[in-house]
Amino acid sequence: MNRFLDVWRHSVLGRHLLTAVLGLLVVMVVLEGVSDFRALQLAAMAYLGIAAGGLTVLTGINGQISLGHGALMAFGAYTTALLLDDPTGSMPISLVVLASTVVALVVGTAVGVAAARLHGPYLAGATLALAIAVPGIALYFRDFLGGEQGLRVSLPEVPTWALDLEYLVTGTEMSRSQYVAYLGWITLIVTFVLLANLARGRVGRRWRAVRDDEVSAELAGIRLGRARISAFMVSAAAAGAAGSVLAITARLAAPSGFTIVLSLTLLTAVVLGGLGYLSGALIGAGLLTFLPPFVTRIGGDAGLSDIRAAELAPLVYGLVMVLVILLAPAGLVGTTKMSLATRRARRQMAAAGGATSPDSPDRFDSPHDPHHSTTEPDPGKPSASGSTTSKGSTR
């Protein structure tokens, strides 16, 4: 136990790995207790969380605004669809996700080099153009990318080792939906560990320095362009992995799935959860995944038609967004952490005040104290005890 606590307190990597192991255990418990439908919903939450985590690095930590991450997800999704076009293919699915990540990383590098010269609304406009243009590529190369119908993704069979491990641990058979959900959440955990280590290390400090004050960062020797490009590369790689999981979950890569709506959804998840917090990105992804069907079901139970119930979801979604902005402007996680820090500081101040007794020589004089003197002591006049001067030197 002491060893566990030492690792938790003194090693950032160890703390992140322990958190990842605990998170994996929670995922296993949850996935073994839900239906196949819920497992696919959790897989959807996983790919939204991966992409939102990457966008958190870019927007929350480095200060760049991107409206084109849905387009970067498209590169990962189409790469997965092309590599999994044959159901009898022998390429491991982990390598497929890795190849999709690399393709999105290459595209993100090219976009990041161009975007490093832009700031604020100009950068948002450039990435918005990317989000609008990329779906058109599939329409232009319809013979290769499937046009409007997109490409079907053939999910390979569940590996034998995964089936044996599932039966050994739980005594049950793993369904394909569970396999997809496990794939998505393991990808999310690996991605978050890498992002968290980058954010807490020297690279993350450079990103924050560029975000907080560009002039000071440049005077400190940080190359602004290199820092911005590296942040865009990392964020694009995460988007590529998310796009790969999306294609495997939906078993389809089509241009209608990567419109500007997807990019705005990711940005909304980051804002709802709290800019700069990976846990906030995950909470925001969970809200965007489960809130619309929950509201639709409540509308159906209240007697609304299917169309009316479906229209109720965007209304509640917008109200939640407005409430979060008004009541928790730093996001759910950011506001919670700020409240806890304020409460902790107040307790420490109260404890310090209670520990100082009236007769203690360390007691702070208060302006309302009747013994408090409002006049400054004469530097040239000896103190009442006659032993020290105002500078504290003993005579």
Side-chain angles (χ1 to χ4, degrees):
M1 189 63 182
N2 292 332
R3 179 66 176 169
F4 176 83
L5 293 177
D6 287 341
V7 171
W8 185 267
R9 290 171 181 168
H10 303 296
S11 173
V12 174
L13 178 60
R15 185 162 61 246
H16 291 161
L17 291 177
L18 288 174
T19 305
V21 172
L22 293 175
L24 182 59
L25 292 176
V26 172
V27 168
M28 291 177 63
V29 171
V30 172
L31 289 182
E32 294 303 323
V34 298
S35 62
D36 286 348
F37 175 72
R38 294 296 180 195
L40 289 179
Q41 279 190 318
L42 289 170
M45 177 183 171
Y47 67 69
L48 283 179
I50 296 170
L55 190 58
T56 293
V57 169
L58 185 67
T59 303
I61 298 179
N62 191 237
Q64 300 186 72
I65 300 176
S66 173
L67 298 178
H69 263 52
L72 295 173
M73 289 178 66
F75 284 98
Y78 273 94
T79 303
T80 298
L82 292 172
L83 293 176
L84 292 179
D85 61 340
D86 184 7
T88 61
S90 58
M91 190 172 185
I93 200 162
S94 57
L95 291 182
V96 173
V97 176
L98 183 61
S100 305
T101 304
V102 172
V103 170
L105 173 65
V106 173
V107 176
T109 303
V111 176
V113 170
R117 300 176 180 273
L118 303 176
H119 302 276
Y122 302 102
L123 176 60
T127 52
L128 177 63
L130 180 71
I132 295 174
V134 166
I137 296 176
L139 302 179
Y140 187 79
F141 299 100
R142 62 179 64 250
D143 294 336
F144 180 59
L145 299 177
E148 190 69 36
Q149 301 299 323
L151 297 176
R152 303 289 300 178
V153 177
S154 301
L155 184 64
E157 296 292 334
V158 182
T160 305
W161 64 266
L163 292 173
D164 294 341
L165 182 62
E166 171 81 2
Y167 188 80
L168 178 65
V169 176
T170 65
T172 59
E173 295 287 341
M174 178 184 289
S175 64
R176 283 201 170 194
S177 300
Q178 283 182 317
Y179 176 60
V180 170
Y182 272 117
L183 175 67
W185 279 93
I186 290 174
T187 305
L188 181 141
I189 290 172
V190 172
T191 304
F192 271 36
V193 169
L194 296 176
L195 293 179
N197 278 285
L198 279 175
R200 290 298 301 272
R202 183 171 56 184
V203 177
R205 289 193 292 272
R206 287 179 177 174
W207 290 343
R208 289 189 183 87
V210 173
R211 176 198 63 186
D212 295 338
D213 194 327
E214 295 181 357
V215 176
S216 298
E218 197 165 15
L219 290 175
I222 298 174
R223 296 184 179 181
L224 303 183
R226 182 177 296 182
R228 291 196 184 100
I229 294 172
S230 62
F232 213 103
M233 290 170 61
V234 171
S235 184
S244 178
V245 176
L246 185 154
I248 294 171
T249 303
R251 302 184 186 182
L252 179 69
S256 58
F258 305 99
T259 60
I260 184 62
V261 176
L262 177 60
S263 299
L264 294 178
T265 299
L266 297 177
L267 195 60
T268 304
V270 173
V271 173
L272 280 176
L275 284 174
Y277 299 101
L278 291 176
S279 55
L282 187 59
I283 292 174
L287 280 175
L288 296 181
T289 303
F290 292 103
L291 185 61
F294 176 72
V295 173
T296 303
R297 188 179 62 185
I298 291 180
D301 295 339
L304 298 177
S305 63
D306 292 342
I307 297 177
R308 295 291 185 187
E311 290 175 347
L312 192 62
L315 173 63
V316 176
Y317 170 75
L319 290 176
V320 170
M321 187 72 181
V322 172
L323 288 175
V324 169
I325 292 174
L326 290 177
L327 303 177
L332 297 176
V333 175
T335 303
T336 302
K337 287 193 172 184
M338 290 172 61
S339 301
L340 293 176
T342 303
R343 185 174 302 177
R344 191 181 307 117
R346 287 176 179 173
R347 282 203 302 265
Q348 291 175 352
M349 292 176 63
T356 308
S357 64
D359 298 331
S360 172
D362 296 332
R363 181 172 66 95
F364 293 103
D365 286 337
S366 169
H368 304 290
D369 191 334
H371 302 289
H372 174 76
S373 175
T374 57
T375 58
E376 294 291 335
D378 187 354
K381 185 178 180 179
S383 63
S385 62
S387 59
T388 58
T389 66
S390 61
K391 294 182 179 180
S393 61
T394 304
R395 286 184 176 177

